[in-house]
């Protein structure tokens, strides 16, 4: 049964071309918002906290600071509303899920940039 589900996901679910990114990277996600009959593009720029799942059910969590309040948003990778993803900065972290980042403030909340 699992093989059948995997086959259907691989064959029929449209895959988007997204750039390679991991936890600690700063990315910008451009996505479409529909308000009534109108639609507009909005972006969400922040640090990737985690990538979770695999295949068509994969998601990633982004955290940004809005004033003094931390805002997190979870995006499915195959969300049709996502128009593009830009990688702004590559971060150097030692974990795949950086939940500890939520508790850091000020200079401690800076992530070193990974050398190319």
């Amino acid at each position: 049964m699992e093989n059948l589900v995997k086959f259907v996901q691989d064959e029929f679910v449209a895959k988007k071309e997204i750039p390679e990114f991991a936890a600690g990277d700063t990315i910008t996600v451009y996505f479409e918002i529909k308000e009534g009959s109108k639609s507009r593009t909005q972006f969400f720029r922040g640090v990737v906290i985690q990538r979770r799942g695999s295949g068509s059910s994969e998601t990633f969590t982004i955290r940004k600071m809005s004033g003094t309040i931390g805002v997190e948003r979870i995006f499915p990778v195959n969300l049709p509303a996502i128009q593009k993803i830009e990688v702004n900065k590559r971060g150097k972290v030692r974990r795949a899920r950086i939940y500890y980042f939520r508790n850091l403030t000020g200079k401690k909340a800076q992530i070193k940039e990974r050398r190319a």
Side-chain angles (χ1 to χ4, degrees):
M1 188 64 178
E2 290 179 23
N3 293 338
L4 182 63
V5 171
K6 186 166 176 53
F7 173 75
V8 169
Q9 286 178 349
D10 291 343
E11 290 295 319
F12 299 109
V13 175
K15 292 187 178 179
K16 293 191 167 206
E17 289 296 322
I18 61 167
E20 288 293 320
F21 61 90
D25 294 352
T26 302
I27 65 171
T28 306
V29 179
Y30 294 88
F31 57 99
E32 189 177 10
I33 291 184
K34 292 188 174 122
E35 297 168 333
S37 60
K38 297 180 194 173
S39 67
R40 63 186 174 88
T41 301
Q42 184 173 334
F43 68 89
F44 194 88
R45 175 179 291 137
V47 177
V48 177
I49 297 290
Q50 70 170 346
R51 283 184 78 160
R52 167 175 278 169
S54 63
S56 64
S57 64
E58 185 177 1
T59 61
F60 57 95
T61 304
I62 302 178
R63 180 180 177 84
K64 75 171 185 176
M65 293 301 291
S66 180
T68 57
I69 298 170
V71 179
E72 289 187 10
R73 183 147 185 188
I74 300 170
F75 290 99
V77 171
N78 289 329
L79 185 69
I82 292 179
Q83 293 177 344
K84 69 177 177 175
I85 298 174
E86 288 179 354
V87 178
N88 303 105
K89 198 165 73 168
R90 302 252 181 218
K92 181 182 175 189
V93 293
R94 292 179 164 192
R95 304 252 176 263
R97 298 188 173 151
I98 53 174
Y99 297 132
Y100 65 87
F101 191 66
R102 295 172 176 159
N103 302 324
L104 303 180
T105 57
K107 277 198 162 181
K108 299 232 183 233
Q110 292 178 348
I111 294 178
K112 288 185 180 177
E113 194 159 359
R114 190 170 47 191
R115 292 189 197 163

